[in-house]
């Protein structure tokens, strides 16, 4: 028997012994059996399949399939992607400080927004600049997918702090586009978790918190103390569209408003080491100042810890719409070959004892889909003074705000870069406004936007037309069409595609997105946050309640049991 056969026989014997040893433990036996099957199937394919297989891609797809049976937050990061995980956790990276994305019109990558105070903005790079070369290397898409192309350019722009390169861009101008070059030195870039704070109405302070990255509690505390020094007598914390981040940072922010030693959140998992309790560690800044927290359906994870714990402790009034419902905690585990697994290890519970996780990923439908926990199956818990709150479906606000629905047309205007291009063109013909407050789109400006839309032969998918077509097909199939022809004809006439009408019907919402895109060109994210507050239903509801302390106290009382 040759050496190869001896090795194969030895391996077979080892696996056989291992499988037999697991026979007494059915679960471990099944695990060992299936790992052996996976290994054997791959080897057989690699040896006998008619074409050469891409081994790395095949195994990666196997890993992805395995992770798909868990939840969306459990992810594998190979060595080359670990940096993006660290950036997500810390909010820091070495680069130029500019958001970029694929720009279909030129088949290139465009600068979406330079970050205020960062290298790209300091040397004069502007939103709308089309990237041609990075460090002398032309940035061409070739046969890459848009996402792959964006990643390639992003990797080229990033690097060790202190290193320099020349960025060549094409700047669209009113008449002719101009090629420009900028020498940029990379720096440590940290995304700003607090893009804007200020006094919004009389003595009401406002802080927009857009992420829970490392040390964001220090940024928040600095903003809060500064607002108090300026005369803030109450505070609005805006967590809308904040997808979360560090649990510990959320606890530290809660600690600014409640006594030291207060339990804010605890975690429970399958393993004992996943169980933990998080209490406030420092003396608070102010335990009396009236608080309102703004949330919406995109407020998740750490945002729900912050808003939910303040609700459970009867420390703040929550205003807005129900939050996302992510009550899961992830930790990172090192893997061979410098990979990392981000894995859900526990669920978190806020002071009332509730977990706000809205989806049970362990109970999937036959098609692999999952559903939110219905309200009928949620449980009642109680806040510190006895108000009723529920688990299993995000944080339900004390005061609900029903904001206008996102019009379908705006999605397509943004997706086709028309709103982005209009903002670029606006800057050609308008001087920078003196302030965000002084800025306003005129009727002539909106007319110019409508002209741009029409010049692009813009079309968009109208869901009402799709549904009407499906209804007609079903009516014909079931034999109802003969008696309903006139009604269908009348409905078709009303639902016909009319661009002028739709641009007028949704003018208010379109203007809001146009204004935010334009003002960002002049005042960055700080300006965008201020522009959003000009006509903000959520903020107006917060101001209303903070101007009426009787109502504020009534909400935070047992009489408000629901």
């Amino acid at each position: 028997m040759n050496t190869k056969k001896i090795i194969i026989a030895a391996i077979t014997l080892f696996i056989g012994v291992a499988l037999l040893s697991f026979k007494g433990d059915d679960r471990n036996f099944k695990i060992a059996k299936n790992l052996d099957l996976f290994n054997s199937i791959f080897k057989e394919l690699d040896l006998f399949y008619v074409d050469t297989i891409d081994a790395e891609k095949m195994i990666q797809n196997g890993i992805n399939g395995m992770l798909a049976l868990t939840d969306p937050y459990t992810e594998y990061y190979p060595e080359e992607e670990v940096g993006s995980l660290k950036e997500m956790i810390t909010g820091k990276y070495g680069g130029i400080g500019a958001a970029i994305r694929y720009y279909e019109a030129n088949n290139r990558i465009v600068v979406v927004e330079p970050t205020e105070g960062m290298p790209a903005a300091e040397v004069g790079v502007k939103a709308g600049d089309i990237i041609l070369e990075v460090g002398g290397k032309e940035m061409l898409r070739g046969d890459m997918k848009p996402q792959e192309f964006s990643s390639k350019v992003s990797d080229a722009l990033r690097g060790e702090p202190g290193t320099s390169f020349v960025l060549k861009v094409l700047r669209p101008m009113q008449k002719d586009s101009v090629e420009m070059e900028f020498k940029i030195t990379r720096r440590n870039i940290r995304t700003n978790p607090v893009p804007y704070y200020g006094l919004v109405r009389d003595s009401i302070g406002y802080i927009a918190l857009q992420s829970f990255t490392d040390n964001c509690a220090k940024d928040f505390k600095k903003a809060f103390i500064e607002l108090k020094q300026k005369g803030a007598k109450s505070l609005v914390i805006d967590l809308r569209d904040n997808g979360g981040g560090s649990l510990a940072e959320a606890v530290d922010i809660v600690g600014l408003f409640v006594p030291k030693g207060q339990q804010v959140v605890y975690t429970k998992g399958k393993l004992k080491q996943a169980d933990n309790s998080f209490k406030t560690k420092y003396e608070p800044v102010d335990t009396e100042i009236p608080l309102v927290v703004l949330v919406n359906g995109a407020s998740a994870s750490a945002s729900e810890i912050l808003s939910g714990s303040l609700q459970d402790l009867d420390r703040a009034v929550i205003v807005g719409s129900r939050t996302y419902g992510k009550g899961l905690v992830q930790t990172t585990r090192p893997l061979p070959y410098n990979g990392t697994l981000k894995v859900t290890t526990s669920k978190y519970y806020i002071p009332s004892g509730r977990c706000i996780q809205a989806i049970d990923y362990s109970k999937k439908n036959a098609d692999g889909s999952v559903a939110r926990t219905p309200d009928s199956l949620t449980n009642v818990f109680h806040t510190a003074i006895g108000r009723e709150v529920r688990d299993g479906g995000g944080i339900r606000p004390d005061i609900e705000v029903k904001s206008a629905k996102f019009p379908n047309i705006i999605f397509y205007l943004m997706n086709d870069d028309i709103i982005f291009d209009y903002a670029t063109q606006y800057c050609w013909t308008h001087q920078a406004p003196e302030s965000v407050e002084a800025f306003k789109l005129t009727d002539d400006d909106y007319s110019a936007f409508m002209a741009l839309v029409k010049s692009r032969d813009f079309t968009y998918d109208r869901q009402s037309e799709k549904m009407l077509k499906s209804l007609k097909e079903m009516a014909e199939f079931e034999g109802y069409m003969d008696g309903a022809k006139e009604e269908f004809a009348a409905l078709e006439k009303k639902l016909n595609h009319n661009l002028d009408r739709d641009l007028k019907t949704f003018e208010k919402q379109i203007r809001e997105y146009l204004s935010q895109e334009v003002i960002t060109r002049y005042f960055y994210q700080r300006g965008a946050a201020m522009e959003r507050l000009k006509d903000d239903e959520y903020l107006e509801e917060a101001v209303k309640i903070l101007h009426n302390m009787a109502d504020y106290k009534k909400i935070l009382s047992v009489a408000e049991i629901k």
Side-chain angles (χ1 to χ4, degrees):
M1 187 179 291
N2 61 33
T3 304
K4 185 176 181 181
K5 288 183 178 179
I6 293 174
I7 292 173
I8 292 173
I11 292 173
T12 303
L13 178 63
F14 171 78
I15 292 173
V17 171
L19 290 175
L20 286 171
S21 68
F22 283 133
K23 279 287 187 180
D25 186 334
D26 188 55
R27 184 172 185 276
N28 285 336
F29 171 73
K30 287 179 180 178
I31 292 172
K33 171 187 171 183
N34 284 287
L35 285 174
D36 184 31
L37 282 171
F38 183 88
N39 183 53
S40 297
I41 290 170
F42 174 76
K43 286 182 176 178
E44 294 295 318
L45 287 172
D46 190 38
L47 186 61
F48 293 110
Y49 186 66
V50 64
D51 294 320
T52 302
I53 64 172
D54 185 333
E56 189 170 347
K57 185 176 181 181
M58 181 172 283
I59 293 176
Q60 181 65 55
N61 285 339
I63 292 171
N64 293 339
M66 179 167 54
L67 297 180
L69 297 176
T70 58
D71 60 52
Y73 316 110
T74 296
E75 299 177 280
Y76 164 60
Y77 290 82
E79 181 179 9
E80 61 271 17
E81 295 179 16
V82 168
S84 64
L85 175 62
K86 291 180 180 178
E87 178 191 326
M88 180 177 66
I89 295 171
T90 65
K92 299 176 184 177
Y93 63 94
I96 67 172
I100 61 172
R101 66 173 168 79
Y102 176 66
Y103 187 61
E104 189 172 3
N106 290 72
N107 204 29
R108 293 274 194 171
I109 299 298
V110 65
V111 176
V112 177
E113 181 191 346
T115 304
E116 187 173 13
M118 291 294 118
E122 288 178 346
V123 300
V125 175
K126 296 184 180 296
D129 286 351
I130 299 165
I131 296 176
L132 301 179
E133 294 181 7
V134 177
K137 295 181 180 178
E138 191 169 6
M139 295 291 110
L140 293 173
R141 177 183 171 186
D143 58 358
M144 288 182 286
K145 295 178 180 178
Q147 187 174 357
E148 293 173 330
F149 186 30
S150 297
S151 296
K152 174 188 174 181
V153 178
S154 178
D155 290 342
L157 293 172
R158 298 184 183 193
E160 287 297 316
T163 58
S164 299
F165 68 97
V166 174
L167 175 67
K168 185 176 181 180
V169 303
L170 182 70
R171 176 164 296 173
M173 303 295 284
Q174 189 168 7
K175 293 182 178 180
D176 296 309
S177 296
V178 178
E179 291 187 2
M180 306 180 75
E181 292 186 351
F182 301 95
K183 185 177 181 181
I184 305 180
T185 301
R186 299 180 180 93
R187 293 212 306 259
N188 277 318
I189 306 298
R190 177 176 180 259
T191 53
N192 185 5
V194 182
Y196 173 70
Y197 62 93
L199 295 175
V200 289
R201 301 285 193 281
D202 302 327
S203 57
I204 297 176
Y206 170 90
I207 300 177
L209 183 66
Q210 68 177 11
S211 62
F212 287 86
T213 50
D214 284 355
N215 295 313
C216 73
K218 292 181 180 179
D219 295 289
F220 187 98
K221 181 179 180 180
K222 176 178 177 293
F224 178 42
I225 291 173
E226 187 175 323
L227 288 174
K228 283 176 63 70
Q229 291 171 344
K230 291 181 177 179
K233 304 299 182 185
S234 58
L235 180 67
V236 176
I237 304 172
D238 194 345
L239 299 179
R240 288 174 293 177
D241 302 320
N242 184 329
S246 170
L247 179 153
E249 296 295 329
V251 173
D252 285 347
I253 294 176
V254 174
L256 301 174
F257 307 106
V258 303
K260 179 182 177 181
Q262 171 66 54
Q263 185 182 58
V264 174
V265 61
Y266 62 94
T267 61
K268 291 195 298 184
K270 182 165 62 177
L271 301 178
K272 194 68 178 176
Q273 56 260 43
D275 298 351
N276 211 338
S277 177
F278 296 83
K279 298 181 179 180
T280 53
K281 298 178 291 186
Y282 310 106
E283 291 298 329
V285 174
D286 193 329
T287 60
E288 300 294 331
I289 189 170
L291 299 174
V292 168
V293 181
L294 304 182
V295 296
N296 64 8
S299 305
S301 189
S303 288
E304 294 171 301
I305 292 175
L306 177 53
S307 57
S309 60
L310 290 175
Q311 185 180 55
D312 281 0
L313 298 171
D314 304 296
R315 185 63 189 87
V317 172
I318 312 302
V319 171
S321 52
R322 188 188 296 195
T323 61
Y324 184 81
K326 181 179 181 291
L328 306 176
V329 180
Q330 287 75 46
T331 55
T332 56
R333 303 286 302 170
L335 295 174
Y337 305 101
N338 300 316
T340 298
L341 179 68
K342 179 166 69 75
V343 57
T344 299
T345 53
S346 58
K347 295 180 180 179
Y348 69 75
Y349 300 80
I350 48 182
S352 65
R354 57 179 168 150
C355 177
I356 53 81
Q357 176 62 24
I359 297 175
D360 185 352
Y361 291 101
S362 67
K363 298 176 181 177
K364 296 190 177 184
N365 302 320
D367 62 356
S369 63
V370 290
R372 291 178 67 95
T373 302
D375 289 346
S376 59
L377 296 181
T378 59
N379 302 296
V380 173
F381 292 79
H382 294 89
T383 69
I385 64 169
R387 294 187 300 147
E388 285 189 3
V389 288
R390 287 186 170 271
D391 67 354
I395 303 300
R396 295 165 172 82
D398 300 302
I399 298 176
E400 187 173 358
V401 178
K402 293 184 178 179
S403 55
K405 292 184 178 179
F406 185 83
N408 195 37
I409 188 173
I410 293 181
F411 171 81
Y412 289 96
L413 287 169
M414 296 174 70
N415 192 60
D416 289 359
D417 291 316
I418 296 178
I419 288 178
F420 182 81
D421 289 345
Y422 173 77
T424 301
Q425 294 181 18
Y426 181 95
C427 296
W428 298 340
T429 55
H430 294 74
Q431 290 186 337
E434 294 181 2
S435 63
V436 177
E437 292 80 7
F439 171 76
K440 184 178 181 181
L441 280 178
T442 65
D443 291 341
D444 287 342
D445 293 331
Y446 192 72
S447 295
F449 170 73
M450 291 178 65
L452 175 64
V453 174
K454 293 174 186 177
S455 72
R456 295 286 185 87
D457 294 324
F458 173 70
T459 59
Y460 57 100
D461 187 9
R462 302 180 74 249
Q463 295 300 313
S464 56
E465 289 181 345
K466 273 189 171 182
M467 294 182 71
L468 179 59
K469 182 180 178 182
S470 297
L471 183 60
K472 280 182 67 177
E473 290 173 352
M474 186 57 66
E476 288 175 351
F477 176 77
E478 295 184 344
Y480 297 122
M481 196 61 193
D482 288 343
K485 282 184 178 179
E486 291 184 7
E487 288 83 355
F488 271 109
L491 194 53
E492 279 182 324
K493 189 174 181 180
K494 289 183 178 180
L495 296 180
N496 69 327
H497 189 88
N498 187 322
L499 185 58
D500 281 319
R501 180 194 61 201
D502 291 345
L503 288 172
K504 284 294 184 182
T505 300
F506 301 107
E507 180 176 350
K508 180 178 182 295
Q509 295 97 317
I510 294 171
R511 276 179 179 266
E512 290 174 358
Y513 281 88
L514 285 173
S515 297
Q516 289 173 33
E517 186 67 46
V518 169
I519 209 67
T520 302
R521 305 298 176 96
Y522 299 111
F523 299 99
Y524 305 97
Q525 280 298 311
R526 170 173 52 90
M530 294 171 70
E531 182 65 27
R532 281 194 294 271
L533 298 181
K534 287 183 178 179
D535 185 17
D536 189 333
E537 296 174 351
Y538 285 64
L539 179 62
E540 292 306 318
E541 195 63 50
V543 170
K544 180 181 175 182
I545 197 67
L546 289 172
H547 277 165
N548 190 330
M549 280 295 103
D551 285 349
Y552 177 86
K553 292 177 181 177
K554 183 180 178 181
I555 292 170
L556 298 177
S557 67
V558 183
E560 278 294 310
I561 291 178
K562 298 176 181 177

